[in-house]
Amino acid sequence: MKYVLLLRGINVGGKNKVSMAEFKEMISHLGYTNVISYINSGNIIFDTSDSIETINQNISIILNTYPFKINKVILSKSQYLEELDNLPSWWFNDLYRKDVLFYTNEIDYSIMRARIEKMPLQDEAVHFGKCAVFWGKSNETSYLKTSYHKYLIKESFYNSITIRNSRTFEKIADILKK
């Protein structure tokens, strides 16, 4: 079965450096096959017959070798593509910015959703998927005033989400479909 591993907060601004080539090699040493990465921000795709629990344990062991905490999201190909198949209509509009917030199993979904729903959305659109929150921002000039920019980063759950822009989200889907 094919899986996607999304790592949070690595290789950003010269901090929390993780060599994707070395990381792919470590994944391969687990016996996982067809290991590929997309860009340098922690997007790894691989095949394995292991259970999700075993994958989670194995990846956690690798991540614990780094001197900083790395949160992760692991999704099966079908989970990931189901999100793509159930996008809201606004996702296909020409927006200034569209992001996908994948959340780890450390997050209490109901609390996260309630907190986001209470945010004063300006020219923003939010859609709650099964594995991610889809967030669209309409206007470049008002971006710094959006709840996404002003409030989301202050939430206690923020460190337990990993964000991909729409291009990365869609490129990973394309890779999974091959």
Side-chain angles (χ1 to χ4, degrees):
M1 181 178 244
K2 193 172 290 293
Y3 290 89
V4 61
L5 167 65
L6 305 170
L7 303 177
R8 184 194 190 283
I10 63 162
N11 302 332
V12 178
K15 294 183 179 181
N16 298 341
K17 291 184 181 182
V18 174
S19 163
M20 287 294 99
E22 290 174 12
F23 198 85
K24 283 172 42 181
E25 190 173 316
M26 288 187 271
I27 298 287
S28 294
H29 281 108
L30 295 171
Y32 299 166
T33 59
N34 303 315
V35 181
I36 59 172
S37 64
Y38 174 67
I39 62 177
N40 201 34
S41 60
N43 307 296
I44 310 289
I45 297 155
F46 58 91
D47 290 319
T48 182
S49 59
D50 284 353
S51 69
I52 190 67
E53 293 81 14
T54 300
I55 297 167
N56 191 37
Q57 290 171 352
N58 288 340
I59 300 297
S60 292
I61 290 168
I62 292 172
L63 295 178
N64 286 335
T65 65
Y66 290 91
F68 44 85
K69 184 176 181 183
I70 304 174
N71 284 329
K72 68 185 176 316
V73 173
I74 304 168
L75 300 172
S76 69
K77 173 183 175 178
S78 61
Q79 287 174 306
Y80 195 96
L81 294 179
E82 184 178 345
E83 293 291 350
L84 183 72
D85 291 340
N86 293 303
L87 290 171
S89 60
W90 60 257
W91 185 262
F92 303 99
N93 295 340
D94 186 24
L95 300 176
Y96 166 65
R97 186 174 173 130
K98 295 180 276 189
D99 289 311
V100 184
L101 290 64
F102 292 96
Y103 44 89
T104 68
N105 58 5
E106 296 173 5
I107 287 183
D108 182 320
Y109 175 81
S110 60
I111 292 173
M112 176 192 67
R113 183 172 180 148
R115 296 290 302 157
I116 291 172
E117 287 177 337
K118 287 181 181 179
M119 291 179 185
L121 299 178
Q122 305 298 319
D123 60 347
E124 302 163 86
V126 173
H127 168 74
F128 294 93
K130 289 185 179 179
C131 303
V133 178
F134 297 81
W135 208 306
K137 283 75 72 183
S138 299
N139 189 318
E140 179 180 5
T141 58
S142 65
Y143 176 68
L144 295 178
K145 297 176 184 173
T146 61
S147 289
Y148 180 87
H149 186 76
K150 286 177 71 175
Y151 302 111
L152 182 66
I153 62 173
K154 296 176 184 172
E155 290 292 336
S156 61
F157 60 80
Y158 183 74
N159 288 333
S160 295
I161 59 174
T162 185
I163 302 169
R164 300 300 185 269
N165 66 37
S166 61
R167 289 178 306 281
T168 300
F169 170 69
E170 291 163 4
K171 180 62 179 176
I172 292 170
D174 289 343
I175 295 168
L176 287 169
K177 290 177 185 178
K178 293 179 183 175

